[in-house]
Amino acid sequence: MNTTAQLARHGLFDARVPRYTSYPTAPQFAGGVDGDRFASWLGAVPEGGQVSLYIHVPFCRRLCWFCACRTQGTSSDAPVRAYLDVLKAEIALLGRHLAPGVRLSRMHWGGGTPTLMDAAMIAELAAAVEAVVPMVPGAEFSVEIDPNELDDTRLDALAAAGMTRASIGVQDFDPVIQKAIGRDQSYEITARAAETIRARGIESLNADILFGLPHQSLDRISSSVQKLLSLSPDRVALYGYAHVPWMAKRQSLLPTDDLPTPEQRLALFETARRLFAWDGFGEIGIDHFARPGDGLARAQAEGRLRRNFQGYTDDGATALIGLGASSISRFPQGYAQNASATSAYIRDIRDGKFATARGHVFSKEDKWRGRMIEQLMCEFRCDTSAITSLGARESWVRSVLAGLAAHFDDATRLTPQGLQILPEARPLTRVIARAVDAYHLSGAGHSSAI
C-alpha cells in the first residue's frame, strides 16, 4: 500500500472529505437547537465542574485571500470595541446559567485576529472571563497571534492575563506565494514575534503552515519549513489548503492555474513531514507534529488524544463553550452554534438572549460513529471495546469495521481488538473515516483528502 496507484484507487486524489473536527460535521447542523436548549445544556454542567472556552474575534486589518474563516475587515477599532462590549454581555449571560464553582481548564482566543484588540481591550476581556469562570491552576490559555498585529503593549497584556501558549499563523514564508495568497508576513517579523513571546516567559509556541498553495514547489516548502524550524516551535499544524471559493469568495483571487495537483499536494506534504521528523518532531494524527514532552505528544502516548474544532487536542473537558459570532459549543448532549453573521449575533445578545442559531442533538449512533471516527483520526485504529463501552452492540461494531476492512482491503487490517489503518495507508485516514459517516456528506464545501 505504498504506491500512488493504490492511493488513487481508494480515491485519495479525487475525494473531497471533511476534516472531521466534529461528528456530525457543521454542514449537518440544523434548527432545533436554540438559545433555550443551549441554556439547558449549560445548566447541566455540574457544580464545581470544569469546562473549556473558545472566544471568536471575527476581525482582521486585512483579509488574506486563502482564508475561509468567518472574518471581516476593519480599518478602525470602533467595530472591535462594540463587539467586545457584546462579548462581555454574553459572558455575563453565561455566568447566570452556569452552576456555582464551574472553572476553566482551557481557554482559546481565535479569529480573525484576536491581537487586533489593543492592550486595554485584551485586559478587559480577560477580566470579564475571570469574573465569571476563573481558570483552574495550571489551565492552558492559548491565543492566535498575527505577527503583523502584535506589539509590546499587547503582548504584555496577554502575558499579564495568563497566556500560556501562543499560536502563530505562518502559512508560507516565500514572497511569491505570499503575494499570491494576499498574506504579507516576512520571516523577520515572525521571528521577532516568537522572540518577544518567549522573552515574556511564554514557552509554548504553536505554528500553522500550509501545503497546496499556488506556486508551491518542493524546494519552496522545504525552505519555508526549515525557516519555521529555526524558530523552534513546540507544535506545528501542517494543514492542506482547501480551495472552496463557493464558500469563501475571496479565494477566487488566487491564481487557480498555479495550484498544485492532488499528486503534487501529497509530495508537498511528504516533504514537509520528513523535515519535521528529521528535526525530532513526533507525528500527531494526520497533520500535527509535536516535540517530545509537548502536551499533544503526552496525550498520544497515554491514549488521551482527541479532536475538536481547533484540530488535535489533549483537552479532557466534556464541555467546550463557544462565545462570539459563529462559534460552536460542544456538550455531551450535542452541538450548538451561534449566529454566523456578526450583526445577528450582536442583535440577540443585546436583546438579552443567547445567539444560538443552529446545532445538532446527538443520537446514540452519533456518539458511536463519532467515537469511531475520532479513534481513526487520532490513533489510526478503532477498538471494538471503546465503542461498546458507549452502549453499542458488539455485533454492530464488528459489522461496521468488517465493512471498512472489506472496502479498504490493502489499507486496513482487522484484529481481535478491532481495526487498524496500516502505516503506509495513513494518507487515506479521512477517506476511511468518511466511510463511517452515516450522513453521507456531499463534496460541496469540504477540503480535499490530501
Side-chain angles (χ1 to χ4, degrees):
M1 185 62 206
N2 56 6
T3 69
T4 300
Q6 287 172 304
L7 293 171
R9 183 170 70 86
H10 289 296
L12 180 67
F13 301 125
D14 54 15
R16 304 193 68 84
V17 294
R19 295 188 187 276
Y20 287 115
T21 53
S22 70
Y23 182 80
T25 57
Q28 291 300 309
F29 295 178
V33 177
D34 56 13
D36 290 339
R37 176 160 280 177
F38 177 74
S40 72
W41 289 350
L42 284 175
V45 176
E47 183 174 343
Q50 293 186 13
V51 298
S52 296
L53 189 66
Y54 172 78
I55 297 180
H56 189 68
V57 181
F59 296 99
C60 294
R61 290 288 181 224
R62 63 196 183 348
L63 295 178
C64 302
W65 303 337
F66 71 89
C67 182
C69 296
R70 295 279 187 178
T71 60
Q72 57 195 83
T74 179
S75 58
S76 74
D77 287 344
V80 184
R81 173 70 259 177
Y83 183 81
L84 174 58
D85 290 340
V86 177
L87 268 180
K88 290 166 57 182
E90 186 180 20
I91 293 167
L93 186 60
L94 171 69
R96 292 197 288 273
H97 288 81
L98 286 174
V102 174
R103 297 291 183 266
L104 281 186
S105 60
R106 299 289 174 91
M107 180 162 64
H108 182 80
W109 294 2
T113 308
T115 52
L116 199 70
M117 296 185 292
D118 63 28
M121 292 181 192
I122 289 170
E124 200 173 325
L125 179 56
V129 173
E130 180 69 17
V132 171
V133 275
M135 292 188 287
V136 300
E140 181 177 290
F141 173 21
S142 56
V143 179
E144 294 175 15
I145 287 176
D146 180 351
N148 292 303
E149 292 292 339
L150 188 68
D151 56 28
D152 287 341
T153 59
R154 282 179 280 189
L155 191 49
D156 287 340
L158 288 170
M163 182 175 73
T164 62
R165 182 180 294 277
S167 182
I168 296 180
V170 170
Q171 322 320 337
D172 196 287
F173 285 121
D174 188 277
V176 173
I177 295 173
Q178 287 187 359
K179 183 177 180 181
I181 65 175
R183 174 84 170 200
D184 182 15
Q185 181 182 315
S186 69
Y187 168 77
E188 289 74 22
I189 196 171
T190 308
R192 187 160 55 251
E195 180 182 356
T196 55
I197 287 167
R198 287 204 168 96
R200 284 158 176 80
I202 302 163
E203 297 181 353
S204 298
L205 183 65
N206 294 10
D208 296 345
I209 190 167
L210 294 176
F211 68 92
L213 294 171
H215 304 298
Q216 219 169 28
S217 65
L218 300 185
D219 286 343
R220 280 176 165 155
I221 199 169
S222 295
S223 176
S224 288
V225 168
Q226 290 177 64
K227 286 179 178 178
L228 175 58
L229 290 172
S230 74
L231 306 181
S232 298
D234 303 280
R235 184 185 301 176
V236 177
L238 175 63
Y239 292 129
Y241 166 66
H243 190 62
V244 287
W246 54 91
M247 291 179 59
K249 292 182 179 179
R250 70 189 81 159
Q251 289 188 347
S252 62
L253 297 171
L254 271 67
T256 54
D257 290 344
D258 295 309
L259 288 170
T261 66
E263 292 81 1
Q264 290 169 334
R265 285 171 62 96
L266 178 61
L268 291 166
F269 174 83
E270 287 296 327
T271 297
R273 184 187 67 81
R274 286 193 294 267
L275 286 170
F276 288 124
W278 173 82
D279 204 57
F281 282 80
E283 295 185 46
I284 307 295
I286 64 169
D287 54 16
H288 280 49
F289 302 84
R291 297 280 188 193
D294 179 85
L296 287 187
R298 294 195 303 271
Q300 183 182 61
E302 298 167 6
R304 297 184 291 103
L305 192 65
R306 306 302 294 262
R307 288 286 275 179
N308 69 11
F309 292 101
Q310 281 75 59
Y312 289 101
T313 181
D314 56 344
D315 182 11
T318 57
L320 168 64
I321 300 170
L323 302 180
S326 80
S327 63
I328 301 174
S329 301
R330 186 193 191 281
F331 295 92
Q333 301 90 337
Y335 294 110
Q337 184 172 21
N338 277 351
S340 295
T342 304
S343 58
Y345 159 76
I346 289 175
R347 181 183 63 248
D348 284 348
I349 299 299
R350 284 179 172 169
D351 286 344
K353 59 184 181 181
F354 287 115
T356 311
R358 62 182 195 142
H360 183 87
V361 179
F362 292 142
S363 68
K364 289 182 179 179
E365 189 170 322
D366 287 336
K367 295 181 179 181
W368 304 338
R369 290 183 180 273
R371 185 59 185 137
M372 281 182 165
I373 289 172
E374 186 174 52
Q375 270 208 309
L376 292 170
M377 296 289 292
C378 292
E379 304 174 37
F380 304 111
R381 65 185 175 89
C382 181
D383 291 342
T384 301
S385 61
I387 314 304
T388 57
S389 69
L390 300 176
R393 298 187 311 276
E394 182 174 342
S395 59
W396 179 86
V397 178
R398 292 194 179 279
S399 174
V400 173
L401 297 183
L404 290 180
H407 185 75
F408 300 98
D409 53 347
D410 56 353
T412 61
R413 176 187 298 120
L414 277 177
T415 71
Q417 291 74 36
L419 178 131
Q420 295 178 346
I421 299 176
L422 299 177
E424 59 270 25
R426 288 179 178 179
L428 290 168
T429 298
R430 287 164 56 202
V431 178
I432 295 170
R434 184 183 59 177
V436 182
D437 187 342
Y439 292 90
H440 303 294
L441 299 174
S442 70
H446 299 146
S447 58
S448 63
I450 186 66

